[in-house]
Amino acid sequence: MSYEVTIEPTGEIVEVEEGQTLLDAALRQGVWLPFACGHGTCGTCKVQVLEGEAEVGEASSFALMDMERDEGFRLACCCRPESDLVIEADVDEDPDFAGHPVQDWTATVSTIADLTPTIREIRLTLPGEGMAFQAGQYINLQVPGVEGTRAFSIATAPGTPNEIALHVRRVEGGAATTWLHEQLEEGQALELSGPYGQFFVRKSDPKDVIFIAGGSGLSSPESMILDLLDDPEDTRRITLFQGARHLAELYHRERFEALAAEHPRFDYVPALNAPLDDDAWDGVVGFVHDAAIAHFDGRFSEHKAYLCGPPPMIESAIGALMKGRLFERDIHMERFLTAADGAETQQRSALFKRI
């Protein structure tokens, strides 16, 4: 048995199987609903039921208050329809969103390589035609023996859908990343689903592009840059600012230097904020947002910016960009959060109204 859910104001219709959550059904049919945590604690996926009945599910009382429940609000990640529905969702239609349906996959680990003392690259081979995705999106990975799933951005370009790479940072005390660093072996099978996410290049906007990345947050920008450079008709300038503490934590430097030498429209600016004496570093010293300020002389207007990394880096970069006359409509971001960060960090930037 299934139920038909009409989503206003877009008018899109989703078929939801009995017992399936509204969010899962929508994503598997290529219909985007905003969400973040995926398990009822952040409130990002809040919708209002206008017609029909839907159970509340395991929504947190902090994310969905009693008064909201009485008014028909539900969290899409938790609610399960009990009849046909008409709902209202805060959906911004984006002409650049491809809407690839989420699917389940059994992937095989093809290679494992250490990129830094705490980050390793895991390459996965997918069966059949592989996963259709937009550069910048992510997958949810099931780690053996660990409850739930963990999100990892795809570091490879969409042009190689049968092989995807993940950059996995080991988190102190993190069961999933510890297993992936200590027990995962080449040839093993892993279960995953994807693609997810609204972090992708808005290709319909011809503005030049700025990427600011820190730590394993480089994965999404790497995919996006490779995708842009693969398009011979794309002429926009691309600048990547990559931040790390010291040289051992700065990975894929040679790859981006080679890309910069090959493509005149691509500039690569690495920055170390705490280089060691042994690094013999002659590049930019300072935080990555300071490197961007220096490179563009503090003026960022007429660009699109994509930020990916830990929350403190994101906040600093947003402040620098906005001070340099780049505003919300042209700044897109993806914070790199871990399970240890908790739901409290799933919040909007204090500098933004909508993000």
Side-chain angles (χ1 to χ4, degrees):
M1 183 176 183
S2 64
Y3 301 108
E4 187 176 274
V5 178
T6 302
I7 302 172
E8 299 294 353
T10 63
E12 292 177 289
I13 297 175
V14 173
E15 292 289 332
V16 186
E17 297 297 326
E18 188 169 13
Q20 185 180 27
T21 68
L22 172 58
L23 179 63
D24 184 66
L27 295 178
R28 290 179 182 277
Q29 292 168 59
V31 176
W32 176 257
L33 291 176
F35 76 101
C37 73
H39 47 74
T41 59
C42 73
T44 303
C45 64
K46 193 176 297 180
V47 300
Q48 186 173 23
V49 177
L50 304 178
E51 298 178 17
E53 299 293 331
E55 64 177 63
V56 173
E58 299 177 355
S60 160
S61 59
F62 296 99
L64 192 67
M65 296 182 291
D66 290 341
M67 178 179 67
E68 293 176 309
R69 298 173 191 228
D70 293 340
E71 294 175 351
F73 286 95
R74 299 290 185 266
L75 300 186
C77 68
C78 295
C79 84
R80 293 172 172 81
E82 297 177 316
S83 70
D84 291 344
L85 302 178
V86 176
I87 66 166
E88 185 172 32
D90 185 16
V91 179
D92 290 326
E93 291 189 90
D94 194 317
D96 290 300
F97 180 53
H100 296 299
V102 170
Q103 299 181 61
D104 296 317
W105 303 88
T106 299
T108 303
V109 180
S110 55
T111 60
I112 301 171
D114 290 330
L115 302 176
T116 77
T118 59
I119 299 172
R120 63 173 15 186
E121 181 178 81
I122 299 170
R123 286 188 172 266
L124 303 172
T125 300
L126 278 63
E129 296 181 356
M131 180 191 299
F133 66 94
Q134 285 182 267
Q137 291 190 298
Y138 68 91
I139 57 102
N140 277 336
L141 183 69
Q142 176 65 63
V143 179
V146 178
E147 184 178 357
T149 60
R150 298 295 185 271
F152 295 103
S153 293
I154 302 170
T156 38
T160 57
N162 284 100
E163 183 177 56
I164 62 173
L166 313 176
H167 298 169
V168 179
R169 178 175 66 89
R170 180 169 182 162
V171 178
E172 189 67 33
T177 61
T178 297
W179 190 92
L180 291 170
H181 273 255
E182 293 185 356
Q183 299 186 50
L184 182 67
E185 297 179 353
E186 294 179 1
Q188 284 187 279
L190 292 175
E191 305 293 326
L192 60 91
S193 62
Y196 298 95
Q198 291 275 285
F199 190 60
F200 53 82
V201 174
R202 272 60 182 181
K203 292 187 177 182
S204 63
D205 192 320
K207 295 187 185 76
D208 291 341
V209 183
I210 296 170
F211 292 98
I212 301 178
S216 58
L218 180 65
S219 51
S220 289
E222 182 166 328
S223 175
M224 297 156 99
I225 290 166
L226 292 173
D227 187 43
L228 288 172
L229 294 178
D230 279 345
D231 185 352
E233 297 183 1
D234 197 311
T235 60
R236 77 194 81 192
R237 291 202 62 82
I238 304 165
T239 307
L240 168 63
F241 298 94
Q242 181 188 7
R245 287 183 301 173
H246 47 77
L247 193 58
E249 294 183 348
L250 186 74
Y251 68 92
H252 283 181
R253 175 188 176 192
E254 294 80 6
R255 173 176 297 177
F256 290 113
E257 288 176 340
L259 287 171
E262 180 183 355
H263 300 275
R265 65 188 182 98
F266 174 56
D267 294 316
Y268 172 55
V269 183
L272 303 181
N273 64 62
L276 305 176
D277 292 339
D278 292 344
D279 290 340
W281 179 249
D282 59 359
V284 177
V285 176
F287 291 106
V288 68
H289 68 279
D290 292 324
I293 293 171
H295 185 84
F296 284 101
D297 198 23
R299 295 189 291 269
F300 301 104
S301 60
E302 298 306 313
H303 285 83
K304 297 287 282 188
Y306 299 87
L307 321 176
C308 191
M313 187 216 81
I314 295 288
E315 295 295 327
S316 297
I318 290 172
L321 293 169
M322 294 185 75
K323 187 176 180 180
R325 309 301 293 174
L326 194 67
F327 300 112
E328 178 181 354
R329 67 180 178 275
D330 289 321
I331 301 176
H332 306 273
M333 63 181 180
E334 184 175 64
R335 289 182 177 86
F336 252 52
L337 300 169
T338 70
D341 292 313
E344 318 173 331
T345 55
Q346 300 278 2
Q347 57 188 348
R348 296 172 179 172
S349 165
L351 299 173
F352 275 15
K353 292 181 294 182
R354 291 190 288 110
I355 290 184

